[in-house]
Amino acid sequence: MKRLTLFALAITLIATVLAAKSPYQAVLQHSRIRGRTHGPNVCAMQKIQGTDKKYFTNCKQWYHRKICGKPTVISYECCPGYERAIGEKGCPAALPLANIYKTLGVVGATTTKMYSERAKLQEEIEGPGSFTFFAPSNEAWAALPTEILDALVSNVNIELLNALHYHMINRRLTSDDLKHGSSFSSMYQDFDVHIHHYSNGIVTVNCARLVKTDQHATNGIVHVVDKVITAITNNVNTLIDTDDDLDTLRTAVAAAGLTNLLENEGTYTIFAPTNEAFEKIPSETLTRILGDPVALKDLLNYHILKNLHCAESIVAGTPLETLQGSVLEVGCDGAEMTINGKAIVMQKDRLGTNGVVHYINELLIPDSAKTLLELAEGSVVTTASKLFKDAGLTDHLIGSEAVTLLAPLDDAFKDKSLAMTPDMKKLLRNHILKERFSSKSLYHGQELETLGGLKLRVFVFRNNLCIENACIAAHDKNGRYANMFVVDKVLAPPMGTVMDVLKADDRFSTLVGAIQRAGLTELLNKKGTYTFFAPTNAAFSAMPPADLNKLMRDPKELANLLKYHIGEEFLVGGAVTSHTRMKPIAGDKLELGTRNSTIYVNRVPVVEGDLMATNGVVHAVDVIIKPLPPKIVSDQAEGSTIRRTSSVRAGTHVMKNDDLFQKVLRSQSSKAMSRVQ
């Protein structure tokens, strides 16, 4: 019954939201549904703790109980257009229709009502007509800088009246009429007001959020907004041109040929770096970018979103596409607007006719404008970055060579010597590929040549893409001239065949002798793709001496045991998932898995993996691997035959179940069901 009720509620929510006319109406309907237990026309509101900001709730915010990363409290209020009635539950009474002047008082916009009276606007909004009034809340007037408010109230017949007329449209517009990107002529010299209706249900006029909508009046409609709005006359390029804090940006825009873009029609969002933001960048980096038209254009386009986003439209982190092609994570932390998680927005919502400008105090540099060294520094590969510089490879990381850097994660260097020996320098040169590659273009069996002259193999697995033993651990970093692959391990290029690898490691001296006795030397030297779970000397020493001696005297038995340790396919550690199987040369399948970054084969841990060979890979184990005991499969998992056998085995229990079934058939409810059928 409980499930049925939840299902019905879900269906109601979906049907109601689908029937809604706009994103705002969808959020309003959700708030109605959440508030209906408190009576008719009650809406659930979320208020950010410590502020006066309230929002109608959507599904995500309802369950997270957070807006802009801050906790919210739920309150239940009358939905727009309704009020409480004494002695009755909820908000059953519709607000009485009155003219706009009186409605301003009803909706709590008392300061706007007072200023309307002072500016001699009262008669107009009491009289005949059909107006839309975007009425600033009392808090909006209080937030105005003192000098601006003084200028308005000191000249009520002109400045204040003009300001109020700019909040009015000479026609009735409900929230449904306020379409995203639409503009309407105001009653102040026909200057447009700009509407944005976002997918999260937020509606803004000139970046002021509508906090109470659709308050109907006899001569129009009132929408309460959270800011006093001002007339928009300039495009965003003019805003940049006329601000001394944006001198460097203005020069960069002109050099990149973006002036026309910012003058033409559009709905852009510009995160405008101040002069201070440019000064924070190392001079050599800034000089390089400013002198490179391609990098400069990418840099500036990375600061421009394709669509207009006022600060009030952001209630949670949202990936938004830039003109450069990549995305910025635009979010909020309380009252602060954030970009990629950082609160670097100093000034918000300077609105132009073709977009909005937000001032930032930190330059955003896209990967496409960076050198390899800049891609590596300040990321998860800082250890590799330092080592490449110490190895004298800086010129390859800052130049214009079309190369690909294989940069191991910092964790890949744990327990490794970082001494800059000749071997280390050689190894690091082999982490730089001679061509610029995209991981999406790599294919299984491909060979990639390094600066060190080696040819590295590409292995494509179901869950990973690997170059030798190193698997790609993150998305490609595509720099100005070169690309970077972040990999999970330091490369271990193959140094010979599987047999060569075993002979070169003293831990496998017993195994090498066993391979020779078993006649498998030729197999492990010839071309192939083998995975050898190689028992160390410790694994053989752990065997009872009598069993070991017997095994070593029987070449055939020894060969079978060793073949059970050799897989017929190539598998590096990064390709092993929680349930991986491998067919050995002899015997049943090997069961592989991972736990706490350790690989297990038939429950035996691999003590060191990914010893690369030209014809395979070696993983060291300290225990001889044995077949796992057969699994006991449950009756239900094996089909009807086993179930029938199990039924016979169950005997009396099955008879009891049959008796119970007969009782159900004879029950009153069963007879009633038969009559219905």
Side-chain angles (χ1 to χ4, degrees), residues 584-640:
I585 294 176
D588 293 333
K589 287 185 177 180
L590 297 169
E591 300 278 351
L592 280 69
T594 59
R595 188 167 67 250
N596 298 329
S597 302
T598 299
I599 297 171
Y600 290 81
V601 52
N602 284 14
R603 301 175 188 165
V604 172
V606 171
V607 294
E608 184 178 352
D610 296 339
L611 305 174
M612 305 301 290
T614 56
N615 61 343
V617 60
V618 174
H619 304 292
V621 292
D622 279 344
V623 179
I624 299 295
I625 298 170
K626 298 178 181 179
L628 293 172
K631 292 182 179 179
I632 300 174
V633 183
S634 66
D635 292 348
Q636 291 184 355
E638 288 295 324
S640 58

Side-chain angles (χ1 to χ4, degrees), residues 536-596:
T536 61
N537 296 342
F540 287 104
S541 298
M543 294 180 65
D547 292 347
L548 179 60
N549 291 333
K550 181 180 177 183
L551 179 66
M552 291 299 185
R553 288 195 299 268
D554 187 342
K556 185 176 180 180
E557 186 65 26
L558 182 58
N560 285 336
L561 180 139
L562 294 177
K563 286 178 180 179
Y564 187 61
H565 288 70
I566 304 173
E568 292 183 322
E569 59 184 294
F570 184 93
L571 208 65
V572 296
V576 178
T577 63
S578 56
H579 298 289
T580 302
R581 290 184 175 184
M582 174 177 281
K583 182 75 174 76
I585 294 176
D588 293 333
K589 287 185 177 180
L590 297 169
E591 300 278 351
L592 280 69
T594 59
R595 188 167 67 250
N596 298 329

